[in-house]
């Protein structure tokens, strides 16, 4: 039973992303939305922790939220993929449940 985890808070303001990474099981998916997209950026204090889970856990950022913050996909950690709203819907449909990390 795969779970889609959504993280909407900046990883530099809360520990939500780290908690999510620690609880996500292999085969799950993580989607960073709103200020959570900062967690997908390379070259930060969290990059190594995110990269370590990429692959076993599918990790995505919402492309529209990335663009809304003036960021582009070229700054993402290898293994972190941008998805649009259609990809968000696909992730919901592909997984058995959704866990929102607040």
């Amino acid at each position: 039973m795969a779970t889609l985890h959504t993280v909407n808070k900046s990883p530099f303001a809360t520990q939500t992303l780290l908690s999510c990474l620690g609880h996500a099981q292999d085969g799950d998916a993580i989607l960073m939305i709103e200020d959570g997209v900062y967690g997908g950026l390379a070259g930060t204090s969290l990059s190594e922790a995110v990269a370590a889970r990429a692959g076993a856990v599918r990790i995505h950022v919402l492309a529209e939220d990335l663009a809304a913050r003036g960021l582009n996909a070229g700054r993402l950690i290898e293994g972190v993929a941008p998805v649009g709203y259609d990809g968000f819907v696909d992730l919901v449909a592909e997984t058995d449940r959704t866990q929102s990390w607040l």
Side-chain angles (χ1 to χ4, degrees):
M1 293 184 62
T3 300
L4 170 62
H5 303 266
T6 61
V7 178
N8 71 336
K9 303 291 186 215
S10 169
F12 307 111
T14 71
Q15 297 294 308
T16 307
L17 179 58
L18 288 175
S19 294
C20 175
L21 289 168
H23 284 86
Q25 301 294 309
D26 290 357
D28 286 353
I30 297 173
L31 176 62
M32 295 176 250
I33 61 175
E34 302 170 3
D35 284 343
V37 298
Y38 291 109
L41 298 178
T44 72
S45 59
L46 297 169
S47 298
E48 191 172 309
V50 174
R53 294 296 289 147
V57 175
R58 296 177 290 153
I59 303 178
H60 303 277
V61 297
L62 189 63
E64 286 82 354
D65 287 346
L66 196 67
R69 285 153 182 81
L71 304 169
N72 65 58
R75 295 187 58 192
L76 294 176
I77 299 165
E78 187 174 325
V80 175
V83 296
Y85 287 111
D86 56 340
F88 191 166
V89 172
D90 289 343
L91 288 169
V92 171
E94 293 168 4
T95 51
D96 300 305
R97 60 182 170 255
T98 301
Q99 170 70 48
S100 297
W101 290 80
L102 304 173

